[in-house]
């Protein structure tokens, strides 16, 4: 059996990644804060013949996140792929330019993006290293590479996650475990900025499958138009 855990699972990219891996026979563990929304996703995937289960947890609660991943591993016999892509809500995420940014604006994003990814990784990596196989995928917007002032504080944290993921890729070289960063340089579904390119989630999700299968030497892939 093979399985993928999607942290930050939602109805767009998370669902598309679940379908991409699920269509290849993967069991799917869906992790996010909202149990009702997760159950809806599980219902959708189940109707399509994909085995999926919900494991509610907030990435800011690192103990709960760790337990959710342990529960998923117990149910599915292990986690073969971890995909980390939580997205903050407008109620919890304050966007600031570099000049406006205070340390607290960055701290929240660091907790959300970097520290959550670290906790998720520590929950699944030991088992991957024991068997000498596994894939760790971390998603950010392309502002982690080419920042824009309007989301300065988010870009700082995303860049930290990207840096850590690329460094992790180097450390795991030769172990059989792949770590990679995915930078998304489009709006998903619909554009929130006039003139900014868009892509549908099902156009992006094959990137994750490629990194797991045929591009395991790559530390990073950027999806752009």
């Amino acid at each position: 059996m093979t399985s993928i855990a999607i942290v930050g699972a939602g109805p767009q990219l998370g669902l598309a990644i679940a379908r991409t891996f699920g269509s290849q026979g993967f069991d799917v563990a869906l992790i996010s804060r909202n149990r009702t929304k997760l159950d809806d996703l599980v219902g959708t995937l189940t109707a399509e013949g994909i085995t999926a289960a919900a494991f509610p947890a907030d990435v800011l609660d690192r103990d709960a996140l760790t337990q959710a991943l342990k529960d998923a591993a117990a149910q599915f016999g292990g986690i073969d792929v971890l995909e980390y892509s939580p997205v903050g809500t407008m109620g919890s995420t304050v966007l600031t330019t570099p000049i406006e940014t205070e340390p607290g604006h960055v701290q929240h994003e660091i907790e959300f993006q970097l520290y959550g990814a670290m906790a998720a990784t520590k929950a699944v990596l030991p088992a991957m290293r024991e068997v000498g196989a596994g894939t760790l995928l971390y998603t950010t917007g392309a502002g982690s590479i080419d920042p824009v002032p309007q989301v300065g504080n988010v870009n700082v944290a995303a860049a930290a996650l990207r840096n850590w993921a690329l460094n992790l890729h180097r450390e795991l070289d030769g172990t059989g475990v792949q770590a990679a960063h995915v930078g998304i340089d489009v709006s998903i579904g619909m554009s929130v900025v006039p003139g900014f390119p868009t892509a549908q989630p099902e156009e992006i999700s094959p990137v994750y499958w490629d990194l797991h299968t045929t591009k395991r030497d790559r530390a990073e892939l950027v999806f752009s138009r």
Side-chain angles (χ1 to χ4, degrees):
M1 298 294 290
T2 50
S3 64
I4 180 171
I6 300 172
V7 180
Q12 293 211 70
L13 184 59
L15 179 58
I17 294 171
R19 283 171 167 154
T20 294
F21 281 79
S23 67
Q24 299 295 329
F26 275 64
D27 295 333
V28 179
L30 301 172
I31 299 172
S32 72
R33 290 172 296 181
N34 191 306
R35 177 71 194 226
T36 300
K37 292 180 179 178
L38 285 181
D39 287 343
D40 289 343
L41 295 178
V42 169
T44 297
L45 293 168
T46 300
E48 296 173 6
I50 295 170
T51 300
F55 301 90
D58 188 332
V59 299
L60 294 175
D61 184 342
R62 291 190 279 280
D63 288 340
L65 176 58
T66 298
Q67 188 60 52
L69 286 161
K70 289 182 177 179
D71 291 344
Q75 180 162 332
F76 292 135
I79 300 297
D80 301 280
V81 180
L82 170 72
E83 193 278 320
Y84 187 87
S85 57
V87 177
T89 64
M90 293 306 295
S92 65
T93 300
V94 176
L95 303 180
T96 61
T97 69
I99 292 174
E100 297 168 333
T101 299
E102 301 288 344
H105 297 137
V106 176
Q107 183 60 39
H108 173 80
E109 290 301 314
I110 287 286
E111 294 273 354
F112 189 75
Q113 297 195 57
L114 178 61
Y115 296 167
M118 288 178 170
T121 301
K122 289 182 182 298
V124 302
L125 181 56
M128 290 181 177
R129 295 201 69 176
E130 185 175 347
V131 299
T135 303
L136 306 162
L137 304 173
Y138 309 93
T139 303
T140 72
S144 62
I145 304 167
D146 184 15
V148 294
Q150 292 88 340
V151 288
N153 60 318
V154 174
N155 287 167
V156 168
L161 174 56
R162 173 181 181 257
N163 180 282
W164 179 79
L166 298 183
N167 215 10
L168 181 61
H169 174 90
R170 292 181 177 182
E171 185 178 11
L172 292 173
D173 183 42
T175 67
V177 182
Q178 156 76 330
H181 168 251
V182 179
I184 299 179
D185 195 19
V186 295
S187 289
I188 300 174
M190 60 181 294
S191 179
V192 295
V193 179
F196 194 73
T198 65
Q200 296 306 308
E202 57 268 20
E203 297 178 88
I204 304 170
S205 59
V207 167
Y208 296 83
W209 182 253
D210 289 345
L211 284 167
H212 174 61
T213 55
T214 62
K215 297 181 178 178
R216 297 188 61 79
D217 60 329
R218 297 286 298 272
E220 179 173 66
L221 283 178
V222 178
F223 184 94
S224 63
R225 291 296 195 193

